[in-house]
Amino acid sequence: MGSFKAICSVSLLQLFIVFCLVFQCFATRRHTDPRTTLVVDASNAIGRPIPETLFGIFFEEINHAGAGGLWAELVNNRGFEAGGPNTPSNIDPWTIIGNESSIIVETDRTSCFDRNKVALRLEVLCDSEGDNICPAEGVGVYNPGFWGMNIEQGKKYKVIFYVRSTESLNLTVSLIGPNSVGNLASSTITGNAADFSNWTKVETLLVAKATDHNSRLQLTTTTKGVIWLDQVSAMPLDTYKGHGFRTELFEMLSDLKPKFIRFPGGCFVEGEWLRNAFRWKATVGPWEERPGHFGDVWMYWTDDGLGYFEFLQLAEDLGALPIWVFNNGVSHNDEVDTSVVLPLVQEALDGIEFARGDPTSKWGSLRASMGHPEPFDLRYVAVGNEDCGKPKYRGNYLKFYHAIRSAYPDIQIISNCDGSSRPLDHPADMYDYHVYTNANDMFSRANAFDRTSRNGPKAFVSEYAVTGKDAGTGSLLAALAEAGFLIGLEKNSDVIEMVSYAPLFVNANDRRWNPDAIVFNSFQAYGTPSYWVQLFFSESSGATLLNTSIQSNSSNSVIASAITFQSSVDKKNYIRIKVVNFGTSAVNLKISLEGLEPNSLQLSGSTKTVLTSGNVMDENSFSQPKKVAPIQSGLQNVGKDLNETVPPRSFTSFDLLKESSNLRMNGSNSSCMRSSI
């Protein structure tokens, strides 16, 4: 009996050890290989339409986004106004060619343009013969543009300037490499004194015979006399539709399929002081007559070649609705009292008339004279930017609101005040919501609008981004947190009308803000991971949101949404399931599709797209522009149930091509033919 007990004890001990090992193995497997189920109700019967306008873009003149960026003008400070109205003044970045014995350069106020009186005076002391002979290359001035002009072989560049001279003119216009190395293109303008005794407009076309990304525009002479220059412009001819937009940057915007564009700011609209706020009337009409202004928030001069008209044209070219943000009498440091704000109200009404008015109206006729007799499709205006807490905002806002509502009842008016957590105390069609925060907080804000009242004005999330240490200059971590936030906004699109990232552009030579969606220099451009995230939502506007639910024993690191849409590319119908795994472990994901007839999905044409990288702080760069970029592959098995592994720290989109439009109504055993959305 004793031996039998010992054998039994050993056997039980061995059994217990085996049981513990199995349990430990199972527990470890659960920790490293969590199982998550995503249930998607693919029946259109209970799907909810997403606003047609949900995803768009926000352009602000920051980081030299327009001047030296999207706006293709190569000359910086083309009217010599950046030094201020007092003369003599600073002409940066213009630089003198020659020394004091050969040329004296200063500004004066002799321009023929009333709104920008400063001109450049060149007193040439040397000559082509005599005691003081000019250098062989001549004397004059050059302009390096915005950290170098990108000149490419075979391309054409139109140079326009205004000139006046006391003597016969012999002026050479050249595109030159850095340090005067390499003449890429040149033209010589000649004429007697009578031809140029008054201000004369000169146009010349230069064709580049070589490529240099760091070039400059040069105007030189070897003839003694006094020459005045003003409004010197150099534009490539290959801008988008000839409208002045740098083509590759425009195309990056177009790829996002934006439904709206908010412009021109941002803080750029307010100014540190009202005297430097963006005023639309100073940015329309002939470009030569625009005075330009100093943007004292982001601390640089803009000639306003990219003005109110050009922003409206940009929206039209993108197929997007314009959202005009105008100053309401409030800057960062001073305010107009409500009792005297009516002139600014009239300025806003005039701006709407410029965009929408009949070509025979006062301001509509100015638009027509600029080449656009048809009205622009302006439906939205925003009264100020981030001004809700300012003492005069509410009083001023109401003046604008009632005047615009009376004159243009269909215009949608956007308030700066946040109505997401409590009702507004003033009328509005939408309210503005801005958020800049760290990655964890941004991801958690996916639920920010879950408890927002379903009554009253809808939200315009016009500025959002992960900033600070988590963002770097555009990290994968930031992009994933933003993707989770966007999924939450998409699921709450019954109370959210519009969403846009900020800022949109940054010139790598003038980073005033980090991060940004698109980084560029004179000749290169790339999208940050945040840019690529926006592409995942490019088909969401106007789609149908499907009900989803997640069943998981793991942490709340996975968020998902699903839509059905017709592709703008191939016009076929798809179900798109977007999944963000913000956690550090891979997730075994089972996707269960309900409400579909058998065999209603195609294997061929169904894809999976993944945005991830080896390190969560990875960024893109000019040398590795797609280090962090979506990678698409075909799906191997497509049916009502899909089993996929979602990588850690990733954003995945499953695009399931519909075979037919057979959908089973939810809660019914019968089926009917429905046209797919």
Side-chain angles (χ1 to χ4, degrees), residues 312-331:
L312 292 167
Q313 184 66 70
L314 175 62
E316 185 174 88
D317 288 347
L318 287 168
L321 292 171
I323 302 177
W324 178 34
V325 186
F326 56 74
N327 188 285
N328 65 95
V330 177
S331 77

Side-chain angles (χ1 to χ4, degrees), residues 144 172 201 203 292 434 510 589:
T172 299
K201 183 178 182 180
E203 294 188 23
H434 295 182
D510 187 37
L589 181 68

Side-chain angles (χ1 to χ4, degrees), residues 379-606:
R379 306 181 194 176
Y380 305 90
V381 296
V383 184
N385 171 75
E386 296 182 351
D387 293 328
C388 184
K390 307 289 178 61
K392 307 297 182 186
Y393 180 72
R394 278 177 174 78
N396 288 5
Y397 171 88
L398 289 172
K399 293 286 188 181
F400 284 92
Y401 178 88
H402 292 303
I404 294 170
R405 179 63 77 236
S406 175
Y408 299 96
D410 62 311
I411 288 275
Q412 300 287 288
I413 302 171
I414 303 166
S415 167
N416 286 183
C417 299
D418 177 14
S420 62
S421 57
R422 60 183 179 183
L424 298 179
D425 62 359
H426 54 274
D429 297 298
M430 278 185 277
Y431 61 85
D432 219 343
Y433 181 96
H434 295 182
V435 56
Y436 297 101
T437 186
N438 62 62
N440 286 334
D441 184 60
M442 182 66 81
F443 187 78
S444 72
R445 286 175 183 253
N447 301 319
F449 289 87
D450 287 0
R451 291 174 296 280
T452 294
S453 171
R454 267 46 199 170
N455 301 314
K458 292 187 177 183
F460 178 15
V461 184
S462 66
E463 298 183 33
Y464 75 88
V466 170
T467 55
K469 183 176 66 175
D470 289 347
T473 57
S475 70
L476 172 64
L477 177 63
L480 295 179
E482 292 157 3
F485 176 63
L486 290 182
I487 283 178
L489 298 187
E490 186 178 70
K491 296 175 80 168
N492 279 289
S493 57
D494 58 322
V495 293
I496 298 170
E497 191 74 14
M498 298 175 172
V499 182
S500 53
Y501 177 91
L504 185 59
F505 283 118
V506 59
N507 188 315
N509 297 286
D510 187 37
R511 285 186 180 270
R512 305 276 167 164
W513 186 281
N514 281 320
D516 310 271
I518 298 171
V519 184
F520 65 89
N521 58 22
S522 71
F523 69 103
Q524 297 168 293
Y526 65 85
T528 62
S530 294
Y531 170 83
W532 292 112
V533 159
Q534 292 172 68
L535 285 175
F536 282 77
F537 294 86
S538 62
E539 299 283 7
S540 291
S541 300
T544 297
L545 181 73
L546 302 176
N547 278 359
T548 57
S549 61
I550 293 180
Q551 302 163 6
S552 176
N553 294 324
S554 62
S555 63
N556 298 322
S557 62
V558 176
I559 187 170
S561 68
I563 62 171
T564 179
F565 69 98
Q566 185 181 77
S567 169
S568 60
V569 178
D570 61 17
K571 307 304 179 185
K572 295 180 180 179
N573 297 316
Y574 291 85
I575 294 172
R576 173 171 290 177
I577 300 166
K578 297 187 289 290
V579 181
V580 176
N581 180 5
F582 199 59
T584 56
S585 299
V587 171
N588 280 347
L589 181 68
K590 177 183 178 181
I591 301 173
S592 179
L593 292 162
E594 298 180 350
L596 285 176
E597 286 294 320
N599 303 315
S600 60
L601 298 175
Q602 287 191 27
L603 175 58
S604 175
S606 294

Side-chain angles (χ1 to χ4, degrees), residues 49-85:
I50 295 173
E52 293 281 350
T53 57
L54 189 60
F55 288 102
I57 55 177
F58 163 47
F59 183 100
E60 178 165 11
E61 183 57 84
I62 179 178
N63 306 316
H64 274 89
L70 180 63
W71 189 243
E73 172 63 63
L74 297 174
V75 177
N76 188 352
N77 187 20
R78 66 187 178 189
F80 308 104
E81 306 290 330

Side-chain angles (χ1 to χ4, degrees), residues 133-382:
I133 298 177
C134 292
E137 66 275 11
V139 296
V141 290
Y142 74 81
N143 188 290
F146 300 89
W147 300 280
M149 298 180 180
N150 179 40
I151 304 300
E152 298 182 6
Q153 184 175 4
K155 289 192 175 182
K156 298 177 181 178
Y157 302 85
K158 180 187 284 188
V159 178
I160 300 175
F161 60 93
Y162 289 76
V163 62
R164 183 164 68 92
S165 177
T166 60
E167 309 293 338
S168 61
L169 187 70
N170 191 326
L171 190 67
T172 299
V173 183
S174 308
L175 293 169
I176 304 290
N179 302 316
S180 298
V181 177
N183 188 331
L184 307 177
S186 64
S187 175
T188 301
I189 311 301
T190 61
N192 58 44
D195 295 331
F196 295 99
S197 60
N198 296 314
W199 282 105
T200 303
K201 183 178 182 180
V202 174
E203 294 188 23
T204 185
L205 191 65
L206 302 181
V207 182
K209 56 189 178 185
T211 294
D212 196 303
H213 305 306
N214 190 27
S215 305
R216 65 197 199 189
L217 177 70
Q218 224 169 249
L219 296 97
T220 55
T221 186
T222 57
T223 301
K224 187 175 182 178
V226 180
I227 301 171
W228 286 265
L229 296 171
D230 199 13
Q231 297 302 325
V232 183
S233 169
M235 288 281 280
L237 288 192
D238 64 343
T239 63
Y240 183 78
K241 288 187 175 181
H243 290 161
F245 307 119
R246 184 170 151 182
T247 303
E248 75 275 27
L249 297 183
F250 177 92
E251 289 173 348
M252 290 186 74
L253 298 185
S254 182
D255 288 345
L256 293 173
K257 302 182 179 68
K259 296 300 182 180
F260 66 84
I261 175 170
R262 175 180 181 243
F263 66 86
C267 295
F268 183 70
V269 169
E270 299 165 282
E272 286 292 331
W273 299 93
L274 283 171
R275 63 178 177 267
N276 292 319
F278 180 89
R279 304 295 288 269
W280 77 266
K281 289 183 180 179
T283 73
V284 296
W287 60 267
E288 301 97 326
E289 298 176 9
R290 302 180 190 183
H293 79 286
F294 179 66
D296 61 355
V297 176
W298 307 121
M299 301 301 290
Y300 61 88
W301 174 266
T302 170
D303 291 310
D304 287 329
L306 180 58
Y308 183 45
F309 175 89
E310 287 75 21
F311 281 117
L312 292 167
Q313 184 66 70
L314 175 62
E316 185 174 88
D317 288 347
L318 287 168
L321 292 171
I323 302 177
W324 178 34
V325 186
F326 56 74
N327 188 285
N328 65 95
V330 177
S331 77
H332 289 179
N333 291 297
D334 58 343
E335 301 179 57
V336 173
D337 191 82
T338 301
S339 64
V340 292
V341 80
L342 286 182
L344 285 175
V345 173
Q346 187 59 51
E347 187 171 295
L349 293 173
D350 292 344
I352 297 172
E353 181 179 284
F354 176 90
R356 295 180 29 154
D358 186 274
T360 61
S361 65
K362 177 180 177 180
W363 294 105
S365 65
L366 176 57
R367 181 199 68 240
S369 72
M370 296 179 70
H372 203 287
E374 304 82 10
F376 288 107
D377 192 10
L378 179 63
R379 306 181 194 176
Y380 305 90
V381 296

